[in-house]
Amino acid sequence: MSFQKQLSHLILSINYFDSALFHKPAKYSGKMPSKHFDALVVGAGFSGLYQLYKLRELGLSVQLVEIGEDVGGTWYWNHYPGASSDTYSHVYRYSWDKEDLQTYPWDSTYLTQPEVHSYLRHVADKHHLRDLIQFNTGLTAARYDESLNVWQIELSTKELLTTHYLVTALGPLSRQNVPSIKNIDFFQGQVYHSADWPKHHDFSDKRVGIIGNGSTGSQLLVALAKHAKHVTSFQRTPQWNVPNNKRSVTAEERAKINADYDRIWNEVFDSRLAFGFKESNISTFSVSDGERQKMYEEEWNRGNGATLMAVFNDIVLDKRANETVCDFMRGKIAEAVKDPETRCRLTPTEPFARRPITNDGYYETFNRDNVRLVSLRETPIDEMVKTGLKTSDGIIHRLDVLILATGFDACTGIYNKVDIRGRNGETLKAHWANGASAYLGVSVPGFPNLFTVFGPNAPFVNMPPAAETQVRFITDLIQRAGNNGVVDSQSDAEKQWTDLSNQILQASLLSKVATWATGKNIPGKKATSLFFMGGLKMYRQLLDDVVSKGYTGFDIHQGPPRS
Ligand code: NA7
């Protein structure tokens, strides 16, 4: 069965529920007593800022708490050298501020971390969101009080408050994965996780080691190799890297995009990956070998891993199809890397299925005299010693700085740091003990009026449009339920959403690799689908269906009368 057919079959097999009880949306009037909010949003990244904006627009008394000292989320924390977005600049932003789309400056095809961070700072300022944000404040505990239909909140500042609705926008990649390395405290140099980067650093006379070669490790390597005295890349699994061919955008190109933004966003929201490129509807073996090579070559030269992965519609579904693009990339690695042993170690053996790494000059960087590759598959880490990192062959790799570009405990990791308790005191941690789940990625049964932006099984696509989609859905749901509503999802609906997400994942080669998107990168974490891989278009269609049938899968009713 083709993937499309399989998917339609799966979608049709979702057993929708009869409408729950509905009430007309109540109008929010005035402010609640101090330290009680209609809604509390947690996290000031792309999702949280927009959620704050939307709930304020609804007329709710709303506050946002953010553990960092500024807005930005991922783009606040991940300010390591080389940090950059891998999505075209013109669609790595909000779609809803038309004026801003036309006027906010950006001058190249991809945005660096300082640029994305500045953009989010600008949005917060322009829309006066900072007045509603309490910085340096994390959510430490949240307990649902059924008798009052409120969430009792405890903050890292020890403040207590109550909120009717609680929206967590904690970010899917927020909890760092810090590997346990023997005797790390003996090391005399500095150790940094890439997402906990020092404000000031100068590596020009330093010998730097980087553990990890995902998007982060790859970006760090290319950037640091140009400045540091020496860089060693400690690689466990070789990864496919595709150049982005970053270039300036001319005034004419920008004007053309500005004039075409309506169509561009329609296409983004109506596509699978939401990356802003036309997605293929032809399969790998529908063209001749020569034609296929030409198409790969064109895409490689244009740049971007996601577009290369999407040259044909079955690359992530069919192993044979996938092998054709791997074979093509092996040729590129062979051209780029001079030393045969390094080339061999750098060449991946797994399918091209993880979220692609898009970065200029990765493989070529290994030709530099100040860069070295160590394969941890051949010589695993033994321990840290005073002067560096010792591998199993007894070699001590001398280091001044060790960088852990070791990724994240995606989606659920950050929730494990917060004590969230729903009905009958059930903890979210316990609810997710056998695998993470949330209905449509936003609601967990037994945790009424809690909404999780990018909760388990949210769409695995370009993040800003996915965040917008979820935020709008949550806002409409809150409006529908009103100022004393109780919104809960049904266990069956959650299960069906989780099963669907898992079935789609299993149809994809992504299920065969050890990625954060399935939790396989974290020792001991249950491997399951953490994202909905059906694409944004499909996700939106499903949401529309849920709404048009009266919010199927949700129970919505009014809470106890307020005194
Ligand atoms: P990733 O993609 O999860 O990469 C983490 C890297 O760290 C990867 O190379 C891992 O090797 C390596 N790693 C993790 N733990 C260890 C240990 N214990 N020993 C050695 N190597 C280890 O995280 P990134 O931050 O690069 O990117 C995450 C996303 O951010 C990315 O997909 C973009 O969406 C932006 P492994 O492959 O597991 O063998």
Side-chain angles (χ1 to χ4, degrees), residues 74-75 78 80 84 86 173 177-181 193-195 210-219 234-239 275 350 354-357 376-377 381 404-409 460 463 514-517 520-523:
T74 285
W75 298 101
N78 291 271
Y80 59 82
S84 173
D86 64 357
L173 296 172
N177 172 34
V178 178
S180 146
I181 302 175
H193 190 280
S194 52
I210 305 173
I211 301 182
N213 51 293
S215 287
T216 304
S218 152
Q219 291 180 338
F234 294 98
Q235 168 195 280
R236 191 163 63 180
T237 313
Q239 287 300 301
F275 266 70
E350 68 178 34
R354 298 193 197 202
R355 192 182 185 289
I357 304 174
L376 297 179
R377 289 260 182 255
I381 297 172
L404 306 174
T406 43
F408 301 90
D409 183 351
F460 193 63
M463 295 277 180
T515 164
W516 52 267
K520 282 189 189 167
N521 64 326
I522 302 296

Side-chain angles (χ1 to χ4, degrees), residues 75 80 82-92 109-113 116 173 214-216 218-219 240-246 273-277 302-308 354-360 460-464 516:
W75 298 101
Y80 59 82
S84 173
S85 161
D86 64 357
T87 310
Y88 299 140
S89 302
H90 64 284
V91 291
Y92 201 73
T109 45
Y110 296 93
L111 301 169
T112 61
Q113 176 274 331
V116 185
L173 296 172
S215 287
T216 304
S218 152
Q219 291 180 338
W240 302 108
N241 266 252
V242 180
N244 57 26
N245 289 330
K246 181 175 173 172
L273 299 174
F275 266 70
F277 61 83
R302 204 185 341 259
N304 196 305
T307 62
L308 184 68
R354 298 193 197 202
R355 192 182 185 289
I357 304 174
T358 300
N359 189 16
D360 278 339
F460 193 63
V461 300
N462 177 25
M463 295 277 180
W516 52 267

Side-chain angles (χ1 to χ4, degrees), residues 268-320:
V268 165
F269 281 100
D270 224 20
S271 68
R272 230 165 58 72
L273 299 174
F275 266 70
F277 61 83
K278 210 163 175 48
E279 290 168 355
S280 169
N281 54 11
I282 60 167
S283 62
T284 305
F285 297 109
S286 66
V287 300
S288 69
D289 290 359
E291 180 65 14
R292 193 181 314 120
Q293 284 302 111
K294 207 170 131 224
M295 290 167 77
Y296 287 151
E297 190 69 42
E298 272 171 18
E299 220 44 69
W300 181 272
N301 292 332
R302 204 185 341 259
N304 196 305
T307 62
L308 184 68
M309 193 177 259
V311 168
F312 299 108
N313 64 3
D314 54 355
I315 285 180
V316 289
L317 304 173
D318 177 346
K319 203 164 179 331
R320 270 182 64 235

Side-chain angles (χ1 to χ4, degrees), residues 545-558:
D545 199 46
V546 165
V547 175
S548 71
K549 290 181 177 148
Y551 287 99
T552 42
F554 287 98
D555 288 324
I556 305 175
H557 61 269
Q558 292 301 292

